Amino acid sequence: QDFFVRIFHEEIHKHCSKLYSEGNYFHAVFEAAKVYNKKVQEKAQSKKDGQALMMEAWTSTGVLKVTSCQTETDKNIQEGIKFLSAGLMQAMRNPTAHEPALDWPISKEDCLDMLSFISYLFRQLDKAIYNKG
């Protein structure tokens, strides 16, 4: 099956495999995005949510670090994860939270691509270090 060919992060498997196998692509993406948001909140020890959470937690002066933020490359990677995470909230989580599934359909191919993207962000979160500064 297409879902298992991709090597998704364990959180994607745990929360989305059943939804995907039932053809609930919209809800599979929504669940993945919600879980990512929750796990960032937990690791960042923050009550913020969505885009605001990502912009604060992942910034080069934030509490979640995937690099040492010393070199220009380090800072670019860190800031990139911030913007990718904020973009996930804006482009994928918010529409699934506010639009009916019939009005915002997600194809099988788009679902797999979105889950791959979120899986990548989960892996970055796994290796991120909490650094209060």
Side-chain angles (χ1 to χ4, degrees):
Q1 185 188 32
D2 297 339
F3 187 90
F4 295 102
V5 171
R6 301 199 186 196
I7 318 264
F8 289 128
H9 186 273
E10 62 195 30
E11 293 291 347
I12 301 289
H13 280 283
K14 179 178 172 183
H15 295 277
C16 306
S17 62
K18 185 174 188 293
L19 290 165
Y20 179 86
S21 67
E22 294 169 348
N24 291 320
Y25 307 132
F26 176 95
H27 290 99
V29 170
F30 188 33
E31 282 303 300
K34 287 191 302 184
V35 173
Y36 179 73
N37 187 79
K38 182 179 180 193
K39 296 295 181 180
V40 171
Q41 281 177 325
E42 290 171 2
K43 195 160 189 174
Q45 300 174 25
S46 176
K47 298 276 187 233
K48 289 197 176 186
D49 182 62
Q51 185 181 10
L53 168 67
M54 304 308 163
M55 295 299 283
E56 180 180 275
W58 286 113
T59 194
S60 56
T61 57
V63 295
L64 298 181
K65 299 284 193 273
V66 288
T67 72
S68 63
C69 293
Q70 298 300 308
T71 68
E72 196 63 32
T73 298
D74 286 348
K75 290 174 188 170
N76 285 337
I77 292 167
Q78 185 71 37
E79 290 290 305
I81 298 301
K82 172 183 79 174
F83 287 119
L84 291 172
S85 296
L88 164 64
M89 295 299 116
Q90 197 95 28
M92 296 179 196
R93 188 201 65 169
N94 290 354
T96 54
H98 301 292
E99 295 296 327
L102 291 177
D103 293 346
W104 201 70
I106 296 176
S107 70
K108 179 180 185 176
E109 293 77 19
D110 283 350
C111 175
L112 288 168
D113 288 346
M114 291 173 169
L115 293 178
S116 290
F117 174 72
I118 299 168
S119 185
Y120 167 78
L121 291 175
F122 268 120
R123 292 186 211 294
Q124 300 310 299
L125 181 61
D126 284 348
K127 66 183 183 182
I129 294 168
Y130 178 83
N131 183 349
K132 192 69 174 163

